[in-house]
């Protein structure tokens, strides 16, 4: 397995990190001034892991996919905080052409795409290296060995600390790990998937997104992989009674779990969002929440939840209500 001193340092920092700031809408639906205020507050409260992608947010009217990385790059340059921040970005989901049908037109993970898009991301972020570089979704058209070699070239050249996968199928994760038996190949050290206290219907088609499951957790435990979960608060549906759950979450089991979560949160004097995050970060296999917020107040609420010490009996109760995988 290919490793470098830079990668070892990044991985050690990742394993100590309890939260990531998701920046999907920075520069589009979250204006730059608000985005910078959120980044400032995240750093002020000790946050260090900032997550973006080369395609955020192409689907917003007028969006190109460059906006989030550009906002972060300008913030890093103005604050001089690059050394303190762990940067994650991703490749593979930018449509080509930009107005093509998605996900069919996704750029994929051909080596030429990876090298080109890495350079563009690094330029927008204003850095010569990226701490964590993730494939954004599986690409069945490109042999995984070719993708792995391209990512490993970036690790070997000191441009990337560690690599990993977002929205990857368990069998692809196993294959990627097996490929790293070769000393020239970097193993996936991070997996990022959708994860919340509620579980989506396994029959629902949410591609290219993929929820956490038992197989992924077992693989992460076996190989020391950091697990990250995006959309942990389901766009406010855990807390707001007027916010309807997405169709894939609408089930009697999830309604029961949500009612139980809210009741426990009220008893503890915290919000359902905060309770869900406290549950998420403190389990037997901790999951690092990737927080997508649109205001400083939302960020503070979430960070207070991550810092909340959840009583063991409450954790056991919540675990029983929401077994992994639904």
């Amino acid at each position: 397995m290919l490793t470098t001193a830079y990668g070892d340092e990044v991985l050690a920092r990742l394993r100590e990190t309890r939260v990531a700031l998701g920046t999907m809408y920075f520069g589009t639906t979250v204006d730059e001034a608000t985005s910078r205020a959120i980044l400032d507050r995240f750093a002020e409260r000790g946050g260090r892991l900032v997550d973006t992608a080369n395609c955020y947010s192409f689907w917003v009217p007028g969006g190109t996919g460059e906006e989030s990385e550009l906002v972060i790059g300008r913030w890093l340059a103005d604050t001089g905080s690059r050394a303190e921040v762990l940067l994650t970005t991703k490749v593979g989901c930018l449509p080509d052409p930009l107005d093509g049908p998605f996900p069919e037109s996704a750029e994929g993970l051909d080596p030429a795409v990876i090298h080109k898009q890495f350079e563009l991301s690094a330029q927008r972020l204003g850095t010569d290296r990226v701490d964590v570089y993730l494939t954004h979704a599986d690409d069945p058209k490109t042999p995984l060995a070719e993708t792995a070699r391209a990512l490993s070239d970036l690790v070997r050249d000191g441009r990337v600390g560690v690599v990993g996968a977002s929205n990857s199928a368990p069998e692809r994760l196993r294959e990627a790990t097996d490929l790293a038996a070769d000393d020239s190949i970097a193993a996936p050290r991070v997996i990022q998937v959708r994860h919340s206290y509620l579980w989506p219907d396994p029959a629902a088609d949410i591609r290219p997104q993929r929820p956490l499951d038992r197989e992924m957790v077992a693989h992460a435990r076996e190989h020391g992989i950091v697990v990250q979960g995006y959309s942990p608060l389901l766009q406010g549906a855990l807390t707001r009674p007027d916010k309807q759950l997405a169709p894939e979450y609408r089930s009697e089991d999830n309604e029961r779990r949500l009612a139980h979560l809210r009741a426990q949160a009220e008893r503890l004097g915290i919000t359902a969002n905060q309770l869900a995050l406290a549950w998420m970060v403190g389990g037997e296999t901790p999951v690092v929440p990737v927080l997508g917020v649109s205001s400083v107040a939302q960020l503070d609420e979430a960070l207070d939840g991550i810092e909340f010490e959840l009583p063991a009996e409450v954790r056991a109760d919540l675990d029983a209500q929401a077994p992994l995988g639904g």
Side-chain angles (χ1 to χ4, degrees):
M1 177 175 64
L2 174 65
T3 60
T4 65
Y6 170 38
D8 289 343
E9 177 189 353
V10 168
L11 186 59
R13 291 179 65 187
L14 283 174
R15 287 176 172 161
E16 295 174 353
T17 299
R18 287 165 56 87
V19 62
L21 179 63
T23 63
M24 180 181 292
Y25 291 108
F26 283 16
T28 51
T29 59
V30 180
D31 64 54
E32 183 154 352
T34 303
S35 300
R36 284 172 172 258
I38 292 169
L39 285 160
D40 286 342
R41 183 61 169 159
F42 185 67
E44 178 186 333
R45 293 197 55 171
R48 293 295 179 265
L49 179 56
V50 175
D51 181 277
T52 186
N54 72 330
C55 65
Y56 290 161
S57 294
F58 73 83
W59 56 91
V60 172
T64 65
E66 300 177 333
E67 289 83 359
S68 175
E69 289 183 331
L70 286 170
V71 167
I72 293 167
R74 288 190 287 266
W75 176 77
L76 289 171
D78 290 347
T79 59
S81 55
R82 175 65 186 96
E84 289 75 42
V85 171
L86 285 171
L87 278 178
T88 297
T89 194
K90 314 178 195 76
V91 62
C93 278
L94 183 68
D96 184 17
L98 193 62
D99 60 352
F102 189 79
E104 295 80 7
S105 64
E107 64 191 344
L109 298 171
D110 181 85
V113 169
I114 289 172
H115 286 291
K116 175 184 176 181
Q117 291 298 328
F118 176 83
E119 295 298 338
L120 291 172
S121 287
Q123 181 180 355
R124 288 189 288 264
L125 290 164
T127 185
D128 60 352
R129 60 186 190 176
V130 170
D131 304 300
V132 184
Y133 202 41
L134 303 181
T135 57
H136 210 160
D138 291 337
D139 175 13
K141 297 174 293 189
T142 302
L144 185 57
E146 293 183 12
T147 297
R149 282 194 290 270
L151 295 171
S152 300
D153 288 343
L154 293 170
V155 172
R156 187 180 302 104
D157 293 344
R159 308 298 305 282
V160 167
V162 300
V163 299
S166 180
N167 301 311
S168 193
E171 59 270 19
R172 297 275 289 189
L173 291 170
R174 289 196 304 271
E175 183 182 353
T177 301
D178 290 344
L179 286 169
D182 184 328
D183 288 343
S184 67
I185 301 296
R189 310 303 282 166
V190 176
I191 58 174
Q192 189 181 107
V193 287
R194 189 198 279 194
H195 184 54
S196 180
Y197 184 69
L198 306 185
W199 296 96
D201 179 353
D205 184 359
I206 59 173
R207 292 175 299 175
Q209 297 186 22
R210 185 177 293 274
L212 187 64
D213 63 26
R214 293 181 180 87
E215 194 171 351
M216 291 180 196
V217 169
H219 186 81
R221 286 176 181 166
E222 181 180 357
H223 297 283
I225 297 172
V226 175
V227 183
Q228 299 174 348
Y230 62 81
S231 298
L233 305 179
L234 301 182
Q235 293 75 51
L238 297 182
T239 300
R240 292 172 48 190
D242 63 317
K243 182 78 171 181
Q244 191 174 34
L245 291 169
E248 63 269 21
Y249 289 94
R250 295 173 196 166
S251 69
E252 290 185 6
D253 280 347
N254 273 336
E255 292 293 346
R256 172 183 53 78
R257 290 170 185 151
L258 182 54
H260 190 78
L261 181 77
R262 288 172 174 169
Q264 283 281 31
E266 184 175 6
R267 187 178 67 81
L268 292 167
I270 59 177
T271 69
N273 283 342
Q274 291 171 329
L275 181 53
L277 291 169
W279 168 81
M280 192 167 167
V281 301
E284 182 180 357
T285 300
V287 179
V288 176
V290 182
L291 298 175
V293 299
S294 57
S295 71
V296 171
Q298 289 177 356
L299 177 66
D300 279 333
E301 178 197 0
L303 294 179
D304 287 347
I306 287 165
E307 294 170 1
F308 182 77
E309 292 294 331
L310 190 61
E313 65 275 13
V314 176
R315 175 171 305 285
D317 173 70
L318 294 176
D319 286 344
Q321 293 290 325
L324 185 61

